[in-house]
């Protein structure tokens, strides 16, 4: 007998509005029994059907709802869901490298699929999705005919699902570096060892937008990773210094710069907090400073410390931007909300003693759409500030 989940009174409102997550503390009772990770039906307190999703008793998110009718999670369901998600991206002009499936936003909770040229990378972030990994790969093979599919499920969030962190080849073959093209720039993406699935696709449009603020100037790109912002800036800048703490990331920057024939990019290894303070002490200034750090907070409990960290780097960065220059600053943590990020920037600007103007505000790329009913899917903040 399949699981039947009955919610507490009024707890169905968020789920009925389109949110996927049913928390264990929202459940009044559970009837039936099946395997953990199986499909469970969710009902309101008075017995009204809400939807179906995968259940996991080991997780605080007991059920992730993604079927709103009497359908099943069979081969056709996944084939249609993947085709629909890809058709949306193709309609927007995405072709070479893009996010094919963005979990809840594409009604496939806990599943990430990224396309890097002829290769696919997937993340399975819940027990239910992990158990259907083979089925999903078969549908991806049918739709894309890729040369290879690689798994990058080496993320800590899987532990909350009772799953180990794993990565490895699922189909075909994967080179050490997958060649892609972004905004006319050639990139070699390290899908095996790079951060996330190898590259941060959510900043593609923002990296292109950043070019106009880097023209003819000296640019400092902090937390540069494999050089997405650095290389886009290099197309128009006089000089770009790409800074990161990871030697592997900086090697990737050097390789990508050579691939494009850029001779105006140099790398700097170091802790960005210390590097920024060092430049301030030296009274070294730049026409444009770019801050694209990893998420400083991955839980609500970490927000206070993260706020201090964001303020530290932004305040110091404001002090090393030349008069009339630009600070491009980002946050990819959804716990650092837009209002909170703006408040941090206001405080940093006030303490910097500089006049700071907001020039442009953007969010994640359209291949990472967000659900209005699920604030967790809206996470990226991108600000361009002019500093006088």
């Amino acid at each position: 007998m399949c699981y039947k989940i009955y919610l507490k009174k009024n707890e169905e409102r968020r789920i009925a509005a389109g949110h996927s997550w049913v928390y264990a503390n929202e459940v009044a009772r559970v009837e039936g029994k099946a395997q953990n990770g199986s499909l469970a039906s969710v009902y309101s307190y008075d017995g009204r059907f809400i939807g179906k999703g995968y259940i996991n008793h080991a997780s605080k998110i007991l059920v992730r709802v993604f079927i709103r009718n009497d359908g099943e999670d069979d081969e056709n369901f996944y084939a249609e869901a993947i085709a629909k998600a890809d058709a949306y991206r193709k309609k927007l002009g995405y072709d070479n490298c893009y996010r094919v499936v963005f979990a809840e936003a594409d009604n496939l909770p806990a599943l990430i699929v990224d396309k890097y040229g002829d290769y696919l990378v997937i993340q399975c972030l819940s027990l239910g999705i992990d158990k259907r990994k083979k089925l999903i790969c078969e549908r991806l093979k049918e739709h894309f005919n890729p040369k290879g599919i690689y798994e990058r499920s080496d993320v800590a969030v899987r532990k909350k699902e009772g799953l180990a962190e794993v990565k490895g080849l699922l189909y075909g073959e994967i080179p050490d570096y997958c060649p892609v093209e972004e905004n006319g720039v050639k990139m070699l993406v390290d899908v095996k060892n790079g951060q996330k699935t190898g590259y941060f696709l959510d900043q593609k449009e923002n990296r292109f937008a950043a070019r106009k603020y880097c023209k003819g100037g000296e640019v400092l790109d902090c937390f540069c990773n494999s050089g997405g912002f650095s290389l886009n800036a290099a197309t128009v800048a006089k000089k770009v210094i790409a800074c990161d703490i990871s030697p592997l990331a900086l090697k990737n920057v050097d390789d990508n710069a050579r691939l494009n024939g850029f001779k105006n990019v140099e790398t700097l290894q170091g802790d960005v907090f210390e590097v920024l303070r060092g430049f301030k002490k030296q009274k070294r200034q730049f026409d444009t400073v770019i801050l694209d750090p990893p998420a400083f907070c991955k839980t609500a409990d970490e927000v206070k410390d993260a706020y201090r960290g964001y303020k530290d780097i932004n305040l110091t960065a404001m002090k090393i931007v030349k008069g009339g220059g630009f600070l491009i600053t980002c946050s990819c943590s959804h716990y650092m909300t837009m209002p909170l990020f703006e408040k941090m920037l206001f405080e940093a600007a006030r303490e910097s003693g500089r006049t700071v103007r907001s020039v442009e505000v953007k969010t994640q790329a359209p291949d990472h759409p967000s659900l209005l009913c699920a604030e967790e899917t809206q996470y990226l903040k991108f600000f361009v500030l002019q500093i006088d």
Side-chain angles (χ1 to χ4, degrees), residues 168-271:
L169 186 66
L170 296 177
Y171 166 74
E173 58 183 13
I174 297 286
D176 289 337
Y177 292 94
C178 296
V180 301
E181 186 172 310
E182 175 189 279
N183 303 328
V185 174
K186 296 176 183 177
M187 300 282 294
L188 296 172
V189 176
D190 182 1
V191 302
K192 296 178 180 178
N193 300 301
Q195 293 189 42
K196 301 292 184 177
T197 65
Y199 192 52
F200 294 99
L201 294 168
D202 53 2
Q203 291 272 36
K204 180 177 181 178
E205 280 80 358
N206 297 342
R207 286 188 281 261
F208 186 78
R211 292 186 182 188
K212 59 180 171 285
Y213 305 107
C214 300
K215 286 182 180 178
E218 189 174 11
V219 178
L220 174 64
D221 179 18
C222 301
F223 308 100
C224 66
N225 195 348
S226 53
F229 275 108
S230 297
L231 296 175
N232 275 271
T235 63
V236 296
K238 178 181 178 181
K239 180 180 179 181
V240 178
I241 298 177
C243 178
D244 202 282
I245 199 168
S246 166
L248 181 64
L250 295 179
K251 179 185 181 303
N252 202 188
V253 175
D254 284 331
D255 291 342
N256 286 327
R258 280 194 297 271
L259 182 65
N260 289 276
F262 294 146
K263 300 186 184 301
N264 57 342
V265 178
E266 67 176 62
T267 57
L268 173 64
Q269 185 183 352
D271 181 300

Side-chain angles (χ1 to χ4, degrees), residues 213-214 218-221 286-290 321 325-328:
Y213 305 107
C214 300
E218 189 174 11
V219 178
L220 174 64
D221 179 18
F286 298 86
D287 296 285
T288 304
V289 175
I290 301 172
V321 173
F326 298 96
L327 170 60
I328 298 173

